Amino acid sequence: MIEHNYPLFEPLRDQLMTRQGVVPEMVSDHEALMELLDHLRAQEIVRLSEEGRLVAADAAARRFLSGGWLEELAWLAAMAAGADEAIYSQVLGWRVGEFYGENEIDLIVRKAERLGFVSCKALQSEFNAESKKHRARLMDALHEADNLCDHFGREGERVGILVTTDLIDEVRDQPRYMALMGKAAVLDVRIIPLEELEWNSLVSAIGEIVHGRDDG
């Protein structure tokens, strides 16, 4: 349901994450919003506060609302695309000489002996070309994904970014953020934007990561 209604879900999520929450009466005449809220309550992701407002149920719910749902959706798409195995929200530890650290990878997929990596970013749905912050977050996500493959990948393994931002101008049939797409092409990072969040498109796009370059 979030996949089908992300631009609608976006402001709702922001309200649910605050103490003020959502006043049910304020959205009672919006059928799609009420249906979404009913499902979130049924899954105990949203609860009714003592003040009669709908809020995120707990820390795990806040994590799910802020982006965990996107990682789980990517996992489902990877399995549907034919991955032998997939793990989301995986922390990897590493050590090089006296140095050590950790990286959390949103999605790791395996097909036979080959791995693939997907970074999931639940960002502003409408691309704002005037916002340096938005452009910087998208470019940072690109470099972060490229680093994943550099650090943990091998020859022929692919990496992608699943991002909830509208990055394609369908009227002009061109990217809204040309520098991002150009750099992604150079780095061989598959960008999966809001336009491909629809289930069948998502399975196809993540399938490119699952199957790598050899078997389509």
Side-chain angles (χ1 to χ4, degrees):
M1 290 190 72
I2 296 173
E3 168 210 323
H4 282 301
N5 299 283
Y6 182 72
L8 187 67
F9 165 76
E10 191 176 11
L12 183 71
R13 171 204 63 198
D14 294 344
Q15 287 180 267
L16 290 169
M17 302 277 278
T18 66
R19 289 184 178 180
Q20 288 75 25
V22 174
V23 179
E25 290 76 18
M26 297 293 289
V27 294
S28 60
D29 61 343
H30 198 305
E31 186 177 345
L33 276 180
M34 286 304 299
E35 187 179 4
L36 183 55
L37 281 167
D38 286 344
H39 277 276
L40 291 170
R41 289 186 71 181
Q43 298 299 320
E44 299 183 349
I45 295 167
V46 167
R47 63 175 177 84
L48 197 64
S49 71
E50 293 179 359
E51 293 78 20
R53 296 168 182 260
L54 295 170
V55 296
D58 51 28
R62 286 192 291 274
R63 187 191 185 287
F64 178 85
L65 290 169
S66 64
W69 67 272
L70 191 62
E71 296 174 8
E72 294 188 29
L73 183 67
W75 178 86
L76 289 167
M79 297 307 295
D84 293 332
E85 186 179 8
I87 303 173
Y88 65 88
S89 190
Q90 178 65 51
V91 176
L92 295 182
W94 52 265
R95 179 182 293 274
V96 178
E98 63 184 280
F99 305 104
Y100 63 91
E102 289 184 345
N103 286 81
E104 181 174 335
I105 302 179
D106 295 334
L107 179 70
I108 306 173
V109 301
R110 180 181 66 80
K111 182 70 174 177
E113 299 302 316
R114 181 170 47 216
L115 299 180
F117 309 90
V118 180
S119 180
C120 301
K121 301 295 181 184
L123 301 180
Q124 178 180 321
S125 58
E126 184 178 352
F127 176 66
N128 183 358
E130 304 302 317
S131 171
K132 284 184 66 176
K133 181 178 180 181
H134 195 193
R135 286 187 284 113
R137 290 191 70 182
L138 287 164
M139 196 63 79
D140 287 346
L142 172 62
H143 291 143
E144 177 186 309
D146 182 54
N147 287 339
L148 286 181
C149 210
D150 286 345
H151 294 163
F152 303 111
R154 296 173 297 183
E155 185 71 26
E157 295 177 342
R158 297 208 65 189
V159 63
I161 308 171
L162 173 56
V163 60
T164 56
T165 298
D166 178 2
L167 292 174
I168 306 298
D169 185 335
E170 290 87 358
V171 175
R172 294 188 295 171
D173 191 28
Q174 67 180 38
R176 297 184 189 277
Y177 190 2
M178 191 67 74
L180 180 77
M181 294 302 198
K183 182 162 283 191
V186 170
L187 297 175
D188 193 24
V189 175
R190 174 63 158 93
I191 295 184
I192 308 170
L194 182 65
E195 290 83 356
E196 294 183 89
L197 193 60
E198 184 274 329
W199 178 249
N200 290 333
S201 297
L202 182 61
V203 171
S204 177
I206 289 189
E208 297 176 30
I209 310 298
V210 170
H211 297 285
R213 300 183 184 85
D214 298 336
D215 52 283

